[in-house]
Amino acid sequence: MSGADGAVVVSVTGGVAGLAATYARLLALAETYDAAAGRMRDWAALGARTLVDDDLVASAALAPLSLAEAGAAVAGATTGRDGVLTESFGWTLDAEAVRLAVRLLEGADELAEGAVSSLDHALGRALGRTLGLGAPLWLPTLAGATCATALLWPHLPADGRERLRGRLEPGGEALEEWVTDHPRLVERLAGGAGGGLDGLVGLPLRVTETAVLARLLAGAYDPGRARVLPLPDVTVAGSARRPRSVEDLVDHLSQLSELSGPARPEMNGTIEVQSFEGPDGGARHVVYLPGTDDMTTLPWTQDDDVRDLGANLMLVGDAPTAYGDGVLAALEQAGVGPDEPVLLAGHSQGGLQAAQLLGSLGAADHGYSVTHVVTAGSPVAHLGPFPPGSHVLSLEQQGDVVPLLDGAANPDSPEHLTLTFEAGHRAGDDVGGHHGFAAYAAGAAAADASTDPGVAEQVRSLHDAGFLGGEPPGGVRHTVYRITRAP
């Protein structure tokens, strides 16, 4: 299945056509069978009451044969071999059979996932023990450098990329090309990171998930307090226009991301809130969340950048951040009401933050109605579960290692759909290209054009909710905010 400019959809998981939704529909079918069996038993009870009805019994003196015929007919229809009571048992058994089939399928899924997780942990532990014997200090440095390179690469200047590329060429093959050609190995290595830590330190820490390891490492960073400053004079090309498509969302994220970066650190932490009228006359809000600005913040140090390495670790570990607190403060400053639908769209760390805010709505009342999230190149597997009825569309470019750094595949749920795509020449040949906006714009266009029922439902929901479409009545209000960490 092809999208615009050669983008090809590789796989679709989750959403309303995913396994979890199918299981839910099967369980709903079992409930329908049970309800039908209950109605049949009620009919059987009505037949029994009919047989002892006073008027019917009194008619025996006048028409004994007719009474006998009526009684036999009622008994046959209710408790006979083909009666409703007998049939009700079959419907009940069918309901239990469906439930058993779902439990067996879910159990098989869990066993397979557990086996892979255990294997990753065991291999990681063995590797950690081996490395711990001879080089106990260089593994964390290498792991941190690998993750930092993957996340920071899009923000490096061109000459910096060339210098780094020249240092990563074992035997003439660039390491980054090998990584982008074998992205799932990165996911497996990340999945075994907890076992690697166990083996490296020689203690049974029982760190079995990347999210748990991320929380441990995030302890070296202070999330701090958010400080939010509106920048009313700052705009980008698409600020005054409602996005017409998922591709428009990604393009506008790209425009906003260009405000910050190594050449403009004074604009680090910028986000944008758009507000306009929806199809029901109520307000709609779209929030754009760019990705990492600073990967150089060392443990136990702190500056004013909220989109840094520490925030990445906190988000993979599903912990609150100053970035997230700043997004909520920006919504308050923008005058967003508690019942007004909000779409959060984010790239890389921005998508992580968007999904974390939606997932935490089930545990804490932020006072806002986030109904939709779109992520591009974000490792969100450990976030959620997401509130019933919400929509999360995750775009992942084949060969982009960043969404794989959480060491797990995104869960299959009715709320969360993951579209993996191949962007072709739009992705380029390096880590930055595979994680870049050109590739994700192609993937977003593929989502817009997709006929897959799950993808189509996600995109249609964005339109039906009023987040995507033509020029809204009254135009678009928009403000760029800068979020920093207070000292």
Side-chain angles (χ1 to χ4, degrees):
M1 183 163 42
S2 299
D5 205 8
V8 177
V9 175
V10 176
S11 66
V12 176
T13 59
V16 297
L19 280 177
T22 301
Y23 292 160
R25 286 192 290 270
L26 287 172
L27 292 175
L29 177 63
E31 293 294 328
T32 301
Y33 285 173
D34 270 338
R39 288 194 298 272
M40 291 178 183
R41 287 189 288 272
D42 290 341
W43 295 338
L46 176 61
R49 292 194 299 273
T50 300
L51 289 174
V52 297
D53 180 84
D54 291 342
D55 292 336
L56 184 62
V57 172
S59 71
L62 300 175
L65 293 178
S66 296
L67 174 64
E69 290 176 358
V74 171
T78 55
T79 60
R81 185 178 64 178
D82 297 321
V84 290
L85 182 62
T86 304
E87 288 296 319
S88 73
F89 296 142
W91 284 73
T92 298
L93 288 174
D94 286 344
E96 289 304 315
V98 170
R99 292 191 182 97
L100 177 60
V102 171
R103 285 197 294 270
L104 290 174
L105 289 169
E106 290 179 329
D109 292 342
E110 292 174 2
L111 284 173
E113 182 179 350
V116 172
S117 177
S118 297
L119 179 60
D120 286 346
H121 187 270
L123 291 174
R125 186 174 177 83
L127 179 61
R129 282 177 174 171
T130 301
L131 294 173
L133 293 174
L137 297 179
W138 65 268
L139 179 61
T141 303
L142 177 60
T146 301
C147 292
T149 299
L151 289 167
L152 185 59
W153 190 272
H155 304 282
L156 291 175
D159 59 341
R161 293 187 192 183
E162 290 303 319
R163 287 197 300 271
L164 186 55
R165 183 182 289 114
R167 298 176 183 177
L168 297 176
E169 293 188 352
E173 180 184 10
L175 178 60
E176 59 171 315
E177 292 181 11
W178 183 89
V179 167
T180 56
D181 287 342
H182 305 85
R184 290 298 164 184
L185 291 180
V186 175
E187 184 177 76
R188 298 273 58 86
L189 288 171
L197 180 63
D198 287 359
L200 189 65
V201 301
L203 296 174
L205 299 178
R206 306 301 181 192
V207 179
T208 58
E209 292 187 3
T210 306
V212 178
L213 177 60
R215 282 195 291 273
L216 288 173
L217 297 176
Y221 296 87
D222 181 3
R225 295 179 297 106
R227 181 171 51 194
V228 180
L229 177 67
L231 304 175
D233 297 328
V234 176
T235 62
V236 294
S239 291
R241 188 182 71 243
R242 173 166 59 178
R244 295 160 295 185
S245 61
V246 181
E247 185 180 12
D248 262 4
L249 280 175
V250 174
D251 282 340
H252 193 62
L253 266 172
S254 175
Q255 296 165 0
L256 188 65
S257 294
E258 291 175 1
L259 290 179
S260 59
R264 303 184 67 184
E266 72 281 1
M267 296 294 285
N268 285 358
T270 45
I271 70 169
E272 186 173 41
V273 179
Q274 289 182 327
S275 301
F276 43 81
E277 184 178 317
D280 59 357
R284 298 293 187 274
H285 309 277
V286 181
V287 184
Y288 299 88
L289 305 178
T292 309
D293 291 320
D294 180 10
M295 286 293 294
T296 62
T297 306
L298 297 174
W300 296 288
T301 66
Q302 179 175 296
D303 56 23
D304 66 352
D305 285 328
V306 295
R307 295 196 293 240
D308 58 6
L309 174 60
N312 278 315
L313 293 170
M314 293 171 197
L315 288 168
V316 172
D318 197 10
T321 65
Y323 190 11
D325 291 343
V327 172
L328 298 175
L331 290 176
E332 181 179 8
Q333 292 190 26
V336 177
D339 299 320
E340 296 171 353
V342 176
L343 160 65
L344 302 178
H347 174 252
S348 196
Q349 185 186 124
L352 260 173
Q353 185 61 76
Q356 197 271 339
L357 284 173
L358 176 62
S360 66
L361 289 175
D365 182 9
H366 295 310
Y368 298 104
S369 179
V370 178
T371 60
H372 291 70
V373 163
V374 175
T375 74
S378 305
V380 296
H382 296 294
L383 302 179
F386 302 112
S390 61
H391 285 76
V392 179
L393 172 60
S394 288
L395 304 175
E396 296 190 357
Q397 149 72 6
Q398 183 86 347
D400 181 6
V401 300
V402 175
L404 308 178
L405 291 177
D406 49 14
N410 291 347
D412 183 319
S413 75
E415 295 78 25
H416 189 185
L417 182 139
T418 302
L419 186 152
T420 304
F421 64 94
E422 172 58 61
H425 71 274
R426 295 281 293 273
D429 298 322
D430 58 13
V431 172
H434 281 79
H435 189 57
F437 281 107
Y440 277 96
D448 288 320
S450 176
T451 58
D452 178 273
V455 178
E457 189 274 338
Q458 284 273 348
V459 175
R460 184 171 60 251
S461 177
L462 288 164
H463 284 274
D464 291 346
F467 296 119
L468 305 181
E471 185 66 18
V476 176
R477 292 185 295 109
H478 52 90
T479 303
V480 171
Y481 297 87
R482 185 181 183 219
I483 305 170
T484 58
R485 182 182 285 109

